[in-house]
Every structure is written in C-alpha cells, then in structure tokens.
C-alpha cells in the first residue's frame, strides 16, 4: 500500500470573470502554476512528484509527467530552459498534481502519481491522484482478482481505486462524475482526498465522508485551485477569506466550465487526523478552520503547565527542528526561560519519518548538529512533536551528549504515546515498529513507565501529553478527530479489523506489514 501524500489542482473557468491573480502566459498555460503549488505541499512527500494536464487543442488531450524525486528535481526547476520546455510541452487549461511518500512498496516511477488510464472514449480516459489510504485494500484486491481475466500490476491502493473508477464508468448508463464517485465511495473503507481529471475536461475534487485528510479550495474570478494545504493557495495569491476547507463527503465538480459543490455520500461523523496539526502540515496552513501554528503553540502551553523540573538560570528549552518550534517557543514563554536553537537541522536530509526503515537510522544520525556553545552545562528541556519509532530520538540524544555536553536532557513530547498502528495513510502499520507499546503493554502511562522509557531513549526524563490535551489544543471536539493511534479506537470497521490483525501479528512475531499479511491470509 502507498500513501498519496499531497495533492493539488487548478482550472481556468472562462465564464468566471476577472481575477486579480495573474495567469502566466494566458489561460491555456494555467498548468504552469501546478509545480509551484506542489512545492508548497512538498513537506507531505519527497519520494516522487508529477502532474496531468488537459488541453483540448492538443492531440493528447491528457498528458501525464511524473518521476521519482523532489518537485524541483522532477520539474527541473533549477534549470530555466528545461523547466520552460516542460511547461510548454504540458501546457493546459486544467491540471492535477501530486507528491508522494510510500508506506511500503517500491520507490520507482511506476508508483508515482497521478495514475492515468487511457481509453478511446473521452469520458473513460482519465487521470487521478489521491491522499490517504484504502483500509479494505485486501478485500477490494481479492474482489477484482476473482475475475481471472483481471490483472493488477502494482501492490498499491491507487491502482485499486483506478479500477473502481473504470468499473463505475462501464456501468450500463454512463454515470456523471458525482454518480461515479458515489458508486466508488460505497465500496471503499478508509481515507481519501482526491483530484480527478478526464479527457472531456471535467474535474472532480473530493474528500472522504469522515474528512481524514485535509483539502482546501479557492476561487478568484476564472481561477479555481485546490490543494491539500491552504498555504499552497495563499502563495498563489488567494486571500485568506477566499480559502475554504471542503466538507467531508462533498465533491467539487467542474464540467462545461461550471463549478458545483455537491454531497456524494452521507457524512455521519468527523474523523480529522490529529497528526496533521501535530506533524504533517505546514505550520502556515489552516485546516478545517484551525490554525496549525496556534495548535502547536497550545500544545507547548500544555507542556509548560505540566513541567516540574527545577528551573534555574542554566535551564533552556530546545526545539527539535522544525515542527516543534512553535510548541517550544510557547513552552519557554510560559516558563519564563530562553528558547534556544541548540540543534541545527541539515535541511538536505529530508524528513526521516517519511523515509524507509533501511535509510531512517543513517539519516537520523546526520539530521541534526548539536551546538556545544548553546548546550554545554545546561539543563535542556528538549521539545519534540511526537515519538513513533524512537529511531531519530535515540540517535539525537546520543549526539547531543557527545557533541553538546549538556548537564541534563529532559524530553518533552507534544503528543501522547503512539500505541496503535495507522491504516489511514501514516507510515506505521505494525505494532512491533512502535516505541511505546513495548513499555505500556496495554496499561495506562505512569511515571514509572515514563522513567523506563526515558532510560531506553538515553534521556534524564520523559513526559508525554495526556490524550485530552490534543483536542483541547487543536480546538475541535475529540469526537471530531481520528485519534486511533493514541487511543486504539478506530473510526471505521476495517481500521478496527486491521488493528486486531496487527495485534495478532505482533503476538506471532510477524514482521510483515499488516496489509501484506491481510492479503496473504485472504
């Protein structure tokens, strides 16, 4: 299974009037804005990037360009001539795009998105990309393969969705895009925010009924744009008041140059992924009306209220760059002590959380440079956004003690312990890879357990936030959040089913990812 981590879409609506946002080279080259949007969601995936464009004046109505690498690498953005050549070749009045990180599978171009499916019928020729994960992947896979004439080329839920779209479009009466989406939604359990474009120039932007993953959109005159995060729209020139979150269970449909927002399924509850505010999203983004920055600031204030380490002139707060900076600043302000940059991040190593396990340890050792001039002899309150596998934290503490020579290091985590896998798009699908469960063993977190965890990490002490602090900091009711990885309570049937399988796999000592085991056991 693969995580489709960041999506974007743009469309020029000729009936939309005037826009104060400049359109480069005219409406037929609106697609050249897409790489810029993908740069703004690059934090969500660094493994591959790509886009599909639509141009009715081109022989190939839909054209897809994608490859392994960062947005800048894939689109040759540091080479003006090559970038311009790509933009002219793939120029179009509409485009969808994607950046990816993988929850498993191969790091090759064939897994990059968007996925394009060509057909002689225009309404059956489409391309799409999505952010999320299909929890009932194994069930849908076996259902498709039960027809021996069917074949799947990849172990990815993206291909499963592609075939579901194909099946819907082959129904006796050609469905509208919203009918197609409704048919697919009835069969899918999991998280999906998606963008879809066909050879008729029709666009679909949709968010699953529980709203796991963020999806924002904006309109200014003829210019329509959508992206996983609001910062991508803000940097295009849309005003904050123009940017809206798409409601769960709703889709934006563009056809014949007209835009509509329609419900495609019942949304019986909300299950926004709390990890979006904790870690994934750009700190400048606003998700479902809640600022990422203010949420992280509130998490730091929660940490400050719980602090009991003696505070003196040699005590400092140090954030683990970059996602912990807002929390650390707020914590230090409340405690009345300095927040200092005792760690300098090597910005060319990428985000180790979204790396494969074989590269994570090596990169963690090179990710941060401790500053002895700042840390030596200090009592350090080290603020981290979360601890999942503890690989980075263990390597970091070892380097801090060796190179920085602090007197003490007290780890403070702006998140409760991660105790259960995620089956909705975060790269942690087995219990054995998680740090906290081996200490908790199903029991509540106690000071004694935290002391043992601190010893294992190499810290003088460790403190997590309590579960109730998360919803309080984000500013949403707990029942509107998916907190399955910190509570073990899953919002969908297949999430709960996979959690039981993950626990069984852990007891058996199986190292395969839960999805792989589920497929084997079918």
């Amino acid at each position: 299974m693969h995580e489709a981590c960041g999506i974007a879409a743009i469309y020029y609506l000729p009936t939309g009037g005037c826009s104060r946002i400049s359109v480069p080279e005219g409406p037929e080259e609106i697609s050249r804005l897409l790489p810029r949007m993908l740069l703004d969601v690059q934090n969500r995936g660094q493994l591959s990037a790509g886009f599909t464009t639509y141009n009715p004046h081109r022989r190939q109505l839909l054209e897809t360009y994608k490859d392994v690498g960062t947005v800048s690498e894939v689109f040759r953005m540091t080479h003006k001539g090559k970038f311009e050549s790509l933009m002219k070749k793939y120029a179009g009045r509409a485009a969808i795009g994607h950046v990816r990180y993988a929850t498993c599978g191969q790091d090759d171009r064939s897994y990059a998105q968007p996925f394009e499916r060509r057909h002689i019928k225009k309404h059956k020729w489409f391309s799409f990309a999505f952010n999320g994960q299909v929890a009932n992947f194994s069930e849908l896979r076996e259902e498709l393969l039960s027809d021996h004439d069917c074949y799947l080329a990849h172990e990815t839920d993206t291909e499963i969705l592609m075939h579901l779209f194909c099946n819907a479009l082959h129904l006796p009466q050609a469905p509208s895009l919203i009918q197609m989406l409704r048919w697919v939604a009835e069969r899918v359990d999991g998280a999906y925010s998606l963008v879809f474009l066909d050879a008729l120039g029709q666009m679909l932007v949709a968010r699953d009924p529980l709203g796991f993953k963020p999806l924002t959109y904006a309109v200014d005159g003829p210019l329509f744009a959508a992206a996983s995060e609001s910062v991508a729209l803000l940097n295009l020139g849309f005003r904050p008041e123009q940017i809206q979150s798409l409601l769960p269970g709703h889709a934006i449909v563009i056809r014949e140059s007209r835009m509509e927002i329609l419900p495609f399924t019942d949304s019986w509850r909300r299950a926004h992924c709390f990890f979006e505010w904790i870690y994934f999203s750009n700190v400048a983004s606003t998700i479902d009306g809640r600022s990422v920055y203010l949420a992280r600031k509130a998490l730091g204030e929660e940490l400050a209220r719980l602090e009991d380490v003696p505070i003196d002139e040699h005590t400092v707060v140090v954030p683990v760059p970059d996602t912990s900076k807002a929390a650390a600043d707020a914590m230090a302000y409340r405690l009345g002590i300095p927040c200092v940059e005792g760690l300098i991040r090597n910005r060319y190593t990428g985000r180790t959380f979204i790396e494969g396990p074989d590269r994570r340890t090596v990169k963690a050792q090179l990710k941060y440079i401790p500053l002895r001039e700042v840390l030596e002899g200090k009592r350090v309150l080290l603020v981290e956004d979360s601890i999942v596998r503890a690989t980075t934290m263990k390597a970091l503490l070892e380097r801090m003690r060796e190179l920085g020579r602090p007197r003490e290091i007290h780890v403070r985590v702006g998140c409760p312990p991660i105790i259960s896998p995620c089956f909705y798009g975060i790269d942690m699908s087995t219990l054995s890879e998680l740090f906290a469960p081996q200490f908790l063993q199903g029991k509540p977190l106690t000071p004694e357990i935290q002391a043992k965890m601190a010893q294992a990490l190499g810290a003088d002490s460790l403190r997590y936030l309590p579960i109730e602090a998360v919803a309080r900091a984000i500013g949403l009711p707990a029942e509107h959040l998916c907190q399955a990885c910190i509570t073990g309570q899953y919002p969908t049937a297949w999430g709960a089913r996979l959690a039981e399988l993950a626990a069984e796999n852990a007891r058996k000592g199986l190292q395969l990812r839960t999805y792989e085991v589920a497929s084997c056991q079918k």
Side-chain angles (χ1 to χ4, degrees), residues 308-426:
D308 58 3
V309 165
I311 302 295
D312 58 25
E313 68 273 18
H314 300 294
T315 305
V316 296
V317 174
V318 174
V320 177
D322 289 313
T323 50
S324 303
K325 184 71 165 60
D329 284 342
M331 181 184 183
Y333 182 81
R334 283 296 180 100
L335 294 176
I337 57 177
C339 181
V340 295
E341 291 193 60
L343 298 170
I344 303 301
R345 181 180 176 184
N346 180 349
R347 301 188 183 280
Y348 302 100
T349 60
R351 303 180 86 178
T352 53
F353 179 84
I354 59 178
E355 288 289 342
D358 55 333
R359 292 176 290 186
R360 192 176 289 119
T361 301
V362 174
K363 283 201 172 183
Q365 294 169 347
L366 303 173
K367 191 174 182 180
Y368 304 110
I369 304 167
L371 298 182
R372 181 175 296 182
E373 298 83 353
V374 174
L375 300 174
E376 189 168 18
K378 295 294 194 294
R379 175 184 289 121
V380 175
L381 301 178
L382 184 68
V383 179
E384 177 61 299
D385 52 67
S386 58
I387 296 178
V388 180
R389 304 173 185 88
T391 308
T392 299
M393 181 56 69
K394 289 177 182 178
L396 174 58
L397 292 177
E398 185 177 338
R399 280 178 64 80
M400 285 180 68
R401 292 196 186 278
E402 177 187 357
L403 301 179
R405 297 182 181 176
R407 184 174 62 184
E408 301 169 8
I409 306 177
H410 302 272
V411 176
R412 300 297 179 254
V413 187
C415 176
I418 305 294
I419 63 167
S420 200
C422 176
F423 308 110
Y424 305 116
I426 299 179

Side-chain angles (χ1 to χ4, degrees), residues 41 53 67 71 81 125 127 164 174 181 208 220 259 264 274 291 337 484 511:
V41 294
T53 67
D67 210 341
V71 174
W125 178 3
S127 182
L164 288 179
L181 183 60
D208 71 65
D220 187 278
M259 188 191 94
F264 65 89
F274 85 94
S291 161
I337 57 177
Q511 297 300 312

Side-chain angles (χ1 to χ4, degrees), residues 267-294:
S267 181
W268 64 95
R269 62 159 293 185
R270 300 286 189 267
H272 305 311
C273 173
F274 85 94
F275 225 66
E276 291 287 348
W277 286 273
I278 297 286
Y279 176 81
F280 267 121
S281 295
N282 188 308
V283 71
S285 286
T286 297
I287 303 171
D288 292 300
R290 298 296 185 271
S291 161
V292 173
Y293 170 78
L294 291 180

